[in-house]
Amino acid sequence: MNLQRLFRPERIAVVGASATEGKLGYEAMANAVEFDGEVYPVNPSGEGEVFGEPFVESVTDIEETVDLALLAVPAHVVPDVVEECGEAGVGGAVIYAGGFAEAGGEGEELQEAVVAAADEHDVALLGPNTSGFVAPASNLLASFAGGVERLRPGGVTILAQSGGVAHQLAFSAHREGRGIATMVGLGNRANVGFEEAIPYFDSDPNTDAIVLHVEGTDDGRALLEACRESDTPVIAYKVGQADVGDFAESHTGALTGDHALYTSGFAQYGVPTVESTTELFDAGQALANSPEPDGANVGVVTAQAGPGIIIADRLQRAGATLPDLAEDTQDRVGEILPGITYAENPVDTGRPMPEFGDVVEAVAEDDNVDAVLVYELFEEALGFPQETLDGLAERVDKPVLFATEGPAESMADDLAALREADVPVFTSPERGADAAAVLARYATLDDAAADEEVSADV
Amino acid sequence: MSEDPIAAAQADGRTTLTEAEAKSLLAGAGIETPAFSVAADADAAVAAAEEIGLPVVVKVSSPSVTHKSEWAEGAGVAVGLDSADAVREAAAEIFDAADARGIDADVLVEEARDVDAGTEVIVGGLRDPSFGPVVLTGLGGIFTEVYEDTSHRIAPIDAAEAREAIEELTAIELLEGYRGREPADVDALAEVVAAVGDLVNEHEAISEVDVNPVLATEEGAVALDALVVLGGE
């Protein structure tokens, strides 16, 4: 199934568009008209215009071929509307309404009818039971939620099983000055699920990392295989650890919870897993903006010992290693900072100083180090080592992450400048360490998954 | 037992293999099992024990008995039998108990292994509705459910991946030797884990394989008990 017309349309129609404020068809239309391409409001009982666009009676009446239809209509009419969309040559549809498979019984039958109509006409369906998707780079706001027009473009694509979680991740990213490539709520996954969406966004030039929110899917193996096939890094947050599934008579069944299979399977197929939405987006941000690390060796530079110790502790517990620095790196650091408190790893400069950037550079250039994590409290007189950090990751070809804290008002401009330079920035030692640890796990898992593929070819 | 044990069970309309059938299946997949023989009466059991060499274990063998050690107030499994009389008595007790319950039963006579000479491990395979063939390993014996120290893999896997799965267990410290005990042959155990994954992967009829315990010793890994469940279509 080709998802290009669903996720990257040129023309869209809002079926069930309404001029009545507060209605789903009004909110969907209000967002849709932000789109850079053409937008057609469709409603047989609509009169005149809505947001400056004249109402059309049916998608089949639109002369140009519509790529994407946003269906702001009640559940029971969705099968007919999808059929109509198919006849009109529409390539993709977003179904906002709930009351389908998630409701059981008649809802399941309704969903089967929708899928049958869609499959017959090759229409890719997002949903039902989703709040939609958003692609900020083309102002494509295929979501009825308010505020999505504020989301900014970035490199991370969010594929969430729940539209609510997709929006939560997107808004928390926005609050921290980060952008997203595409935010997708998959909902009921009627005919577009993880295994269809992952390959699509793997080939999407705007997507540098894919983050997954997974509650459970019918075909876990297809999800894992899609992840392994993806050249774009994938990270997953599997929710639902407490549910251990049906207890079986014998040992093997009883010991095999669904969650255990997901987490083992993700690791086996090269996908690091995380335990919170914060960790998910932080890791996605780090992977999207960094060269891929070669291994799990992290060099830590800190201007304050306490946060440095938290970072060192947390990194090692999460499976990263803190290698000794090469002797010439130690000499370089010693020359920059005579009488330094601790020049091994972490390097602790004791306090922020004008030469802090030179220390970061020395550690980043060390061949023993696969990734760098820097922590420094913001000091107004010094600012951040902006000049060093800008382009450093590309030059040394390894991730360089920056964690900090300070008064929001005074460091706002400097933080924005770092983000503008694509430096992954985190606002606590733990968040920085967690993101670096996921990078380390990604490097080691990626190796293992690659080995497996090699052995499978033999 | 030259015929395919899965086909034999299916021909009978059974969804579980007898222990002898399960062990034949495992042996065919390259997994070590103790020498065994199925006997239809007490005399045959004694003859089998002499052939295998004492001491032996005698167990009930019947499609109607899945949990042998709980069956007939413990008569279902007799261990450490080191004389012909002891074998005859254990076998007679099983046949009597089977008669009393109105079921058809044979006895399985099996070479005894010293479980104290190694670590008991569980190796399981199953066909998950979402992930297909999967394999798990964990600490076996009476501790399986207490510690739930298990690690899972999506099958099939090679022996290196199986070894990684074993090394994730907390019980790896037991397997690597403690208090002067010799380390277990983890590579042999890894071969068992990989082979169980292959079995589930290759035989669509299998819904679950439960090898508990596998005895891991310094000399290898041997399947002491096994249950194979077929898909109940």
Side-chain angles (χ1 to χ4, degrees), chain A residues 171-190:
Chain A
F171 286 132
S172 71
H174 180 75
R175 182 158 36 77
E176 302 202 3
R178 299 163 172 175
I180 55 165
T182 308
M183 173 223 89
V184 183
L186 291 170
N188 287 10
R189 297 161 288 129

Side-chain angles (χ1 to χ4, degrees), chain A residues 134-417:
Chain A
V134 175
S138 51
N139 294 313
L140 177 52
L141 312 178
S143 154
F144 56 79
V148 290
E149 70 281 3
R150 298 184 184 279
L151 297 175
R152 285 195 288 262
V156 178
T157 280
I158 299 161
L159 294 180
Q161 193 157 342
S162 145
V165 173
H167 282 80
Q168 189 274 327
L169 280 161
F171 286 132
S172 71
H174 180 75
R175 182 158 36 77
E176 302 202 3
R178 299 163 172 175
I180 55 165
T182 308
M183 173 223 89
V184 183
L186 291 170
N188 287 10
R189 297 161 288 129
N191 72 6
V192 175
F194 288 106
E195 57 266 41
E196 288 82 19
I198 291 167
Y200 175 76
F201 287 103
D202 178 32
S203 64
D204 170 34
N206 294 334
T207 298
D208 299 319
I210 299 169
V211 300
L212 308 180
H213 157 263
V214 182
E215 288 169 354
T217 81
D218 296 338
D219 193 347
R221 189 177 285 249
L223 161 62
L224 296 181
E225 280 167 1
C227 291
R228 178 153 71 191
E229 291 301 309
S230 174
D231 291 325
T232 308
V234 181
I235 308 156
Y237 176 23
K238 168 67 177 70
V239 186
Q241 191 163 0
D243 177 16
V244 294
D246 295 330
F247 251 65
E249 243 320 89
S250 57
H251 287 142
T252 300
L255 293 170
T256 305
D258 188 45
H259 194 77
L261 293 181
Y262 274 99
T263 46
S264 311
F266 276 126
Q268 200 180 332
Y269 282 68
V271 177
T273 48
V274 297
E275 295 296 328
S276 69
T277 50
T278 303
E279 214 187 332
L280 182 63
F281 202 84
D282 283 354
Q285 176 73 12
L287 270 171
N289 288 319
S290 300
E292 290 188 17
D294 292 331
N297 294 312
V298 182
V300 178
V301 181
T302 182
Q304 286 84 19
I309 291 165
I310 290 173
I311 285 169
D313 175 40
R314 205 167 175 98
L315 275 175
Q316 292 178 98
R317 280 191 287 130
T321 47
L322 295 177
D324 287 339
L325 300 178
E327 253 174 58
D328 60 330
T329 309
Q330 295 193 32
D331 292 347
R332 271 176 76 182
V333 173
E335 274 170 35
I336 303 166
L337 305 162
I340 187 180
T341 54
Y342 189 71
E344 287 167 34
N345 186 15
V347 179
D348 174 24
T349 66
R351 61 190 185 82
M353 53 186 55
E355 302 85 356
F356 191 71
D358 300 337
V359 179
V360 171
E361 190 167 35
V363 172
E365 287 174 356
D366 190 314
D367 287 339
N368 294 353
V369 165
D370 300 313
V372 183
L373 173 55
V374 182
Y375 185 88
E376 181 189 39
L377 283 175
F378 180 72
E379 286 212 6
E380 204 137 16
L382 293 168
F384 295 128
Q386 170 79 27
E387 270 181 36
T388 308
L389 292 172
D390 192 354
L392 178 62
E394 281 64 37
R395 188 165 63 72
V396 297
D397 195 25
K398 59 185 84 163
V400 180
L401 314 187
F402 191 80
T404 189
E405 190 52 282
E409 310 78 9
S410 50
M411 67 175 178
D413 290 349
D414 291 56
L415 270 186

Side-chain angles (χ1 to χ4, degrees), chain B residues 9-34:
Chain B
Q10 283 172 329
D12 287 357
R14 284 182 279 131
T15 56
T16 54
L17 270 57
T18 64
E19 184 178 346
E21 287 169 334
K23 281 183 170 162
S24 307
L25 190 69
L26 296 186
I31 296 169
E32 189 189 346
T33 60

Side-chain angles (χ1 to χ4, degrees), chain B:
Chain B
M1 206 172 303
S2 57
E3 64 182 315
D4 173 4
I6 293 176
Q10 283 172 329
D12 287 357
R14 284 182 279 131
T15 56
T16 54
L17 270 57
T18 64
E19 184 178 346
E21 287 169 334
K23 281 183 170 162
S24 307
L25 190 69
L26 296 186
I31 296 169
E32 189 189 346
T33 60
F36 67 86
S37 181
V38 176
D41 59 45
D43 287 339
V46 172
E50 279 164 355
E51 169 86 24
I52 289 164
L54 297 166
V56 295
V57 179
V58 169
K59 303 177 190 175
V60 59
S61 176
S62 166
S64 357
V65 182
T66 308
H67 297 286
K68 297 176 290 283
S69 50
E70 284 114 58
W71 182 76
E73 287 91 49
V77 178
V79 300
L81 308 176
D82 55 6
S83 70
D85 284 348
V87 172
R88 185 180 303 279
E89 196 179 316
E93 206 175 325
I94 286 170
F95 289 120
D96 289 348
D99 284 346
R101 285 162 179 75
I103 63 167
D104 279 335
D106 292 324
V107 296
L108 179 75
V109 183
E110 186 176 80
E111 174 193 358
R113 296 285 179 120
D114 175 12
V115 292
D116 292 333
T119 304
E120 290 182 77
V121 179
I122 178 172
V123 177
L126 62 84
R127 190 171 306 281
D128 179 83
S130 180
F131 290 93
V134 299
V135 61
L136 72 88
T137 185
L139 185 59
I142 58 170
F143 298 115
T144 303
E145 278 145 355
V146 179
Y147 294 111
E148 292 190 5
D149 178 20
T150 52
S151 85
H152 295 79
R153 287 294 184 278
I154 311 299
I157 54 172
D158 60 17
E161 182 76 36
R163 192 176 168 112
E164 275 186 34
I166 296 163
E167 285 171 351
E168 280 172 18
L169 298 173
T170 310
I172 188 62
E173 295 189 27
L174 301 179
L175 293 166
E176 285 178 338
Y178 67 106
R179 292 200 166 206
R181 176 178 254 187
E182 288 301 315
D185 184 347
V186 176
D187 284 330
L189 181 57
E191 297 285 353
V192 174
V193 175
V196 168
D198 288 345
L199 270 179
V200 181
N201 190 51
E202 284 160 16
H203 299 277
E204 285 206 11
I206 296 179
S207 67
E208 190 166 333
V209 178
D210 220 342
V211 194
N212 188 21
V214 175
L215 187 68
T217 69
E218 59 184 300
E219 277 143 21
V222 54
L224 297 190
D225 199 356
L227 176 67
V228 173
V229 182
L230 305 179
E233 290 298 296

Side-chain angles (χ1 to χ4, degrees), chain A residues 417-436:
Chain A
L418 282 182
R419 286 176 175 139
E420 188 63 28
D422 281 339
V423 177
V425 178
F426 307 94
T427 49
S428 80
E430 287 86 356
R431 288 178 64 179
D434 290 348

